[in-house]
Amino acid sequence: MNAQMECMSCGTTLGIAEIAYTCRECDGLLDVVYDDAPGDPEELKIRFRERRLSDAPADCSGVWRFRELLPFADFSHIVTLGEGNTPLWDVPRAAAWAGIERLTVKHQGMNPTASFKDNGMTAGVTQARAVGANVVACASTGNTSASMAAYAARAGMRAAVFIPDGQISLGKLSQALDYGARTLQIEGDFDAALALVRELSDVDPVYLVNSVNPFRIEGQKTIAAELCEQRGWRVPDRVVLPGGNLGNVSALGKGFMELMDWGFIDRLPRITVVQAEGAAPFAAMIRDKAPTLTPVPNATTRATAIKIGAPVSWPKAVRVLDVCGGEAITVSESEIAEAKAVIGSDGVGCEPASATTVAGLRQLMDCGRASRDEDVVCVLTGHLLKDPDFTVNYHFGRLEPGAELANEPVRVESNIEAIRAALEG
Ligand code: F0G
């Protein structure tokens, strides 16, 4: 497919091999746009599926097996860790807690670096290689940096990570360090770190792979295709996503909209974006029907992945809600913590930011904005082990007084009687 980059504000176009993250004329966000459809949808659906039987690295990837939907011509140099192909699971206890008949979760935490970032990063780092970059960089609340560091290492590139000092979970920091990234702890928050790395990438030969980079969004949009494929191409009524920098909602929305335009699906899902109360500039913008986003100066939430006050991709997120329908809502810290423990009780672990989805769905049910028989998919964005401190603190009762599902370990004397008594208790 012939593709180019196009500014979503002024329509200026750029060639696919150009190094640009925003429009050179007006600084608007760039989209990858295609001249034509990728081909016959029914034939392609079969081809996507058949690739699951192949051992070729590109076919083993849940991103690159959808390669006809992507703006790359040469697939011999892709940087892949076999990302995607993540499970879709029924979570009956979480469904009952949210007040809905049935609920499924798509667990993007089951990726090679344990977050949804891998779907976009394989495309971002492949593009970095295609344009001849030697250094990739990003600002991150942890998951983007873990993912970038891994893919850069696979590609033999240097990686520079900008993280807000002391504000990311150790699981994520440990990944960036182990994968060999140069890790800079920046004074200030994520928004400050992102502003700095964007400035650097404008002047130095450093390729930026934050989600403002449109190739990241292209890789990540395949989550929508895979989700539809796993459901026999039946589109859910609603997809619920956490909102931070708003790259993910932009990517999934673009994915669904293209699948619809190209004849793979016959309707769009409603999209619900859920933010933490203390980091909710997008939900506020949508609630107030404001024309632009007003950043939150000191965003706060224990869900550090989405502790973001100035999300860059908000115009794309607005477009997704306009086209798909849906809403942006907020949840409290205690709702996030309870929802996370409920998801855990289904045997599915996720990190706090991911649990906003189930908390948000419960809120929609409570206020009658979603119905019991709706077909809903919540996207879990990161794995439980990304942030074990949060989980342990919750279960020891250190996060929330009266945490309903707290499951504190029990100290037991080392004899059978005491153990029996403890098991009965
Ligand atoms: N969930 C998790 C686990 C995340 O790590 C992020 C973002 C989000 C949700 C929100 O997604 O930004 O696309 O709206 N993490 C970024 C990072 C910011 O640096 O890892 P978004």
Side-chain angles (χ1 to χ4, degrees):
M1 267 197 302
N2 266 340
Q4 54 193 347
M5 289 188 276
E6 184 181 279
C7 171
M8 71 175 286
S9 304
C10 73
T12 299
T13 56
L14 280 164
I16 214 77
E18 302 262 353
I19 299 181
Y21 315 106
T22 53
C23 176
R24 290 191 186 133
E25 304 296 323
C26 75
D27 207 31
L29 295 175
L30 296 174
D31 272 320
V32 172
V33 294
Y34 299 87
D35 293 347
D36 40 24
D40 178 59
E42 296 315 313
E43 268 173 36
L44 284 171
K45 285 177 187 177
I46 295 167
R47 204 181 304 166
F48 297 156
R49 195 88 193 144
E50 280 176 354
R51 287 187 179 136
R52 297 211 68 168
L53 299 172
S54 153
D55 290 322
D59 295 342
C60 292
S61 160
V63 172
W64 297 102
R65 71 188 177 85
F66 297 105
R67 51 190 170 267
E68 284 78 1
L69 311 181
L70 298 175
F72 294 85
D74 176 3
F75 301 97
S76 56
H77 299 300
I78 61 170
V79 186
T80 177
L81 280 162
E83 52 288 321
N85 294 325
T86 58
L88 190 60
W89 284 322
D90 261 323
V91 283
R93 293 183 189 89
W97 182 81
I100 195 162
E101 273 164 26
R102 189 174 163 227
L103 178 61
T104 56
V105 291
K106 176 135 177 82
H107 204 334
Q108 292 301 118
M110 303 303 284
N111 259 302
T113 77
S115 88
F116 71 109
K117 304 289 182 182
D118 295 344
N119 293 65
M121 201 54 73
T122 184
V125 173
T126 294
Q127 180 67 6
R129 181 182 259 177
V131 299
N134 295 316
V135 188
V136 285
C138 71
S140 182
T141 56
N143 280 325
T144 301
S145 50
S147 182
M148 183 191 78
Y151 283 85
R154 301 299 298 169
M157 286 177 197
R158 289 175 56 211
V161 157
F162 290 52
I163 49 170
D165 194 8
Q167 295 178 47
I168 78 168
S169 70
L170 287 186
K172 300 171 190 178
L173 177 61
S174 66
Q175 290 179 290
L177 300 178
D178 224 38
Y179 304 145
R182 186 86 178 136
T183 302
L184 311 180
Q185 297 185 288
I186 306 291
E187 268 175 51
D189 57 12
F190 168 83
D191 305 301
L194 182 57
L196 276 172
V197 74
R198 288 183 74 176
E199 199 181 317
L200 182 78
S201 65
D202 279 344
V203 284
D204 284 13
V206 165
Y207 189 75
L208 181 70
V209 292
N210 274 103
S211 58
V212 65
N213 181 322
F215 292 90
R216 276 275 312 280
I217 300 291
E218 289 308 288
Q220 218 158 294
K221 79 181 183 189
T222 60
I223 298 170
E226 187 177 279
L227 170 62
C228 291
E229 184 198 52
Q230 281 169 306
R231 299 166 40 97
W233 297 93
R234 249 181 344 98
V235 179
D237 294 326
R238 182 188 301 272
V239 175
V240 188
L241 303 162
N245 211 20
L246 302 173
N248 202 28
V249 55
S250 305
L252 267 85
K254 186 173 194 279
F256 286 117
M257 293 184 303
E258 285 177 353
L259 289 172
M260 176 87 175
D261 284 350
W262 295 335
F264 287 82
I265 56 177
D266 56 8
R267 65 181 187 129
L268 294 168
R270 290 173 73 84
I271 304 280
T272 301
V273 180
V274 191
Q275 297 201 291
E277 258 169 24
F282 184 64
M285 176 192 171
I286 298 295
R287 179 197 62 212
D288 299 342
K289 300 189 169 57
T292 56
L293 180 133
T294 306
V296 171
N298 291 305
T300 54
T301 170
R302 285 190 301 233
T304 50
I306 51 172
K307 191 167 178 251
I308 294 174
V312 168
S313 294
W314 68 263
K316 288 186 177 177
V318 169
R319 180 177 61 187
V320 170
L321 292 194
D322 282 349
V323 177
C324 295
E327 54 273 291
I329 59 173
T330 65
V331 290
S332 69
E333 295 297 302
S334 61
E335 286 174 302
I336 295 172
E338 288 304 318
K340 198 181 99 57
V342 171
I343 297 165
S345 74
D346 271 309
V348 178
C350 66
E351 67 164 284
S354 310
T356 58
T357 55
V358 174
L361 177 62
R362 173 153 130 145
Q363 225 183 71
L364 291 182
M365 296 299 302
D366 279 352
C367 62
R369 288 168 76 185
S371 59
R372 273 189 68 74
D373 60 354
E374 256 184 46
D375 176 6
V376 180
V377 177
C378 288
V379 178
L380 302 182
T381 44
H383 197 281
L384 170 81
L385 296 176
K386 285 283 192 175
D387 189 356
D389 282 353
F390 182 103
T391 307
V392 169
N393 285 333
Y394 174 86
H395 287 293
F396 276 77
R398 293 180 201 137
L399 278 193
E400 301 281 326
E404 266 178 49
L405 294 168
N407 179 24
E408 204 176 337
V410 186
R411 277 191 184 280
V412 196
E413 276 175 43
S414 59
N415 67 67
I416 294 294
E417 283 311 308
I419 288 171
R420 272 204 198 105
L423 287 176
E424 273 159 23

